[in-house]
Amino acid sequence: MPAAPERDPHIVVENLTMAFGTFVIQHDLNFTINKGDIFIIMGGSGCGKSTLLRHLVGLQAPAAGRVLYSGESLWDAEQDRREAILRKTGVTYQGGGLWSSMTLAENVALPLEQYTSLGSAEVADLAALNLSLVGLAGFEDYYPSQISGGMQKRAGLARAMALSPEVLLFDEPSAGLDPISSRLLDDLILELRDSLGATVVMVTHELASIFAVGDNGIFLDAESKSQIAVGDPRHLLSESSDPKVQRFLRRGEAAKELGSAP
Ligand SMILES: Nc1ncnc2c1ncn2[C@@H]1O[C@H](COP(=O)(O)OP(=O)(O)OP(=O)(O)O)[C@@H](O)[C@H]1O
Ligand SMILES: [Mg+2]
């Protein structure tokens, strides 16, 4: 009976309208994120990518429409069901979000203390394990200010995956990183997807990341306040006829031409 797992719809967004009061940010969003996919949310600054992520992780309620996790509506579910669904998600926010007054181990331990009944020794072991999975073994007792930006991003990932989530959501995980660190982070995200079998939802405008890891994605437009393209970014590059999508996905080409100019 089971279909190929990677084709199973995991998160379905139906006719979603997002608004702050009467100010609509995006309307009529419709897309499906399949299990095990790395789904990219794209679009210009201010179009509503972070807002969409907040709707997916239960921080902001839709003005209209639904967000379904494995067929169950997040916002129509009872509180305890909603919490059960969200417990299976791990998220990193734009701008980091590590607690500066806590060590890396304490940061990673936080969701474990909050959501499990594990004892302190087990929590410490698991926190250390998660930090080692992102290449931060030995840095348990460091504070965020004592490590580099790339390491902070990886510590954020370690915290997001502490509860072995089924869905990982990242808002601009590689923003501000140099190309090599950014590439390593992409590899790490691919590894996490493969080892956890998780579905990944990622906001990013980094073209290298988008093409390296994206299986599917959506392009939000600030002007029309709705989606103007859905699909595998590589297909959108070759097949989308929308000039905004083309401009976004081909930014690198102009830069390359400039770089090779005499
Ligand atoms: N708390 C808020 N109250 C009112 N408006 C908000 C709030 N948060 C965001 N907005 C507005 O919603 C719109 C979308 O913001 P959002 O942060 O989702 O954009 P974004 O696509 O993530 O941008 P960026 O690429 O710069 O991160 C913006 O116009 C912003 O001003
Ligand atoms: Mg944002």
Side-chain angles (χ1 to χ4, degrees):
M1 172 229 128
E6 62 275 19
R7 295 294 94 196
D8 274 356
H10 197 168
I11 305 171
V12 175
V13 168
E14 274 182 1
N15 301 322
L16 176 66
T17 292
M18 315 190 290
F20 289 98
T22 54
F23 184 66
V24 171
I25 306 294
Q26 287 281 324
H27 62 85
D28 297 298
L29 301 183
N30 283 286
F31 58 93
T32 296
I33 303 173
N34 288 314
K35 255 182 200 140
D37 265 4
I38 297 185
F39 187 92
I40 314 281
I41 300 173
M42 294 169 279
S45 185
C47 68
K49 303 180 296 295
S50 297
T51 305
L52 177 55
L53 213 67
R54 283 201 297 275
H55 281 73
L56 297 181
V57 298
L59 290 176
Q60 198 174 333
R66 303 197 298 170
V67 175
L68 305 166
Y69 274 80
S70 303
E72 189 172 4
S73 172
L74 184 62
W75 290 99
D76 298 315
E78 298 290 330
Q79 173 90 4
D80 57 340
R81 277 304 306 156
R82 178 151 68 236
E83 281 171 14
I85 295 169
L86 294 175
R87 202 160 297 179
K88 296 182 202 161
T89 65
V91 60
T92 70
Y93 298 102
Q94 194 168 12
L98 293 173
W99 294 100
S100 59
S101 61
M102 291 180 166
T103 65
L104 301 190
E106 287 165 348
N107 266 286
V108 177
L110 208 58
L112 296 164
E113 284 162 353
Q114 204 171 356
Y115 290 116
T116 71
S117 51
L118 298 172
S120 56
E122 288 165 303
V123 166
D125 282 352
L126 257 180
L129 172 69
N130 277 296
L131 283 168
S132 73
L133 287 174
V134 299
L136 288 174
F139 289 92
E140 291 82 3
D141 298 328
Y142 281 61
Y143 286 88
S145 62
Q146 298 173 307
I147 58 173
S148 74
M151 292 160 88
Q152 290 174 16
K153 299 273 187 193
R154 285 188 272 137
L157 250 59
R159 188 175 62 185
M161 62 194 228
L163 295 166
S164 301
E166 293 174 4
V167 187
L168 282 161
L169 304 103
F170 305 128
D171 198 346
E172 302 275 8
S174 53
L177 297 184
D178 64 79
I180 293 172
S181 306
S182 176
R183 173 78 207 282
L184 290 172
L185 197 76
D186 286 344
D187 291 345
L188 182 62
I189 289 169
L190 281 171
E191 270 173 45
L192 289 179
R193 187 270 302 268
D194 294 340
S195 61
L196 295 174
T199 302
V200 177
V201 183
M202 184 155 84
V203 176
T204 181
H205 62 267
E206 304 279 338
L207 290 175
S209 294
I210 290 171
F211 294 123
V213 304
D215 298 299
N216 199 355
I218 187 167
F219 194 99
L220 305 181
D221 176 40
E223 212 178 3
S224 58
K225 296 184 185 291
S226 199
Q227 67 194 59
I228 52 174
V230 186
D232 181 327
R234 281 158 293 206
H235 292 171
L236 294 181
L237 179 68
S238 57
E239 274 146 42
S240 173
S241 56
D242 191 292
K244 286 179 191 157
V245 177
Q246 285 298 328
R247 218 175 307 137
F248 182 91
L249 292 175
R250 293 189 186 276
R251 269 172 300 150
E253 293 174 13
K256 260 183 239 146
E257 275 163 29
L258 279 177
S260 62

